[in-house]
Amino acid sequence: MLSTMFEKVALQTTELPVVTKSYEDKFLSPPCESIGERPCANGDRCLARFIAQVRYGTDTDKAFVCKEFLLPSQYDDFKAGRGLPSRRAKCVMCSRYFQVHATRFSRRSPCVY
Ligand SMILES: [Zn+2]
């Protein structure tokens, strides 16, 4: 019975892209929409905007929505004029926040670091 429930299947995997901190740092700024960059998918709820408002106050002019984060292959395509992914992504800060939240949720403990 178990052998029919768990057949061995070859899974296709892809290489995980290498993303360095210096690469991520390129995405810690507002989008340059005149060249086609897009804002974070979280819009006005972007973490970059929230952090500036906590630091400088809700009326600060220093708050901004960060540009969307692109993996290196996506960024290469964008620079080569092959466009952006069809679905807008979160910025690097919102992505990292979500990943930490998802990791904590998957471990079912609010105190795991
Ligand atoms: Zn964001």
Side-chain angles (χ1 to χ4, degrees):
M1 179 69 176
L2 279 178
S3 63
T4 58
M5 291 177 63
F6 298 103
E7 292 181 33
K8 289 187 177 180
V9 176
L11 296 175
Q12 295 288 326
T13 60
T14 57
E15 289 288 318
L16 288 175
V18 175
V19 178
T20 63
K21 181 174 182 321
S22 61
Y23 176 81
E24 285 187 350
D25 288 351
K26 293 179 197 175
F27 293 88
L28 290 173
S29 60
C32 185
E33 295 184 45
S34 65
I35 63 167
E37 292 178 341
R38 298 183 297 200
C40 173
N42 285 342
D44 286 343
R45 294 171 41 190
C46 177
L47 193 56
R49 184 174 159 81
F50 175 73
I51 288 171
Q53 289 174 330
V54 169
R55 172 68 177 88
Y56 298 106
T58 54
D59 295 333
T60 183
D61 60 354
K62 296 181 184 200
F64 62 89
V65 176
C66 223
K67 68 175 81 174
E68 77 176 311
F69 179 71
L70 300 173
L71 291 171
S73 63
Q74 295 170 323
Y75 191 50
D76 289 343
D77 283 347
F78 174 69
K79 288 187 298 186
R82 293 188 289 269
L84 291 166
S86 58
R87 188 173 181 177
R88 190 165 47 130
K90 294 179 179 74
C91 71
V92 67
M93 296 176 71
C94 290
S95 295
R96 295 294 172 255
Y97 179 83
F98 175 78
Q99 289 164 354
V100 168
H101 175 76
T103 301
R104 285 182 176 178
F105 182 78
S106 70
R107 293 179 179 172
R108 297 184 185 273
S109 170
C111 301
V112 176
Y113 292 99

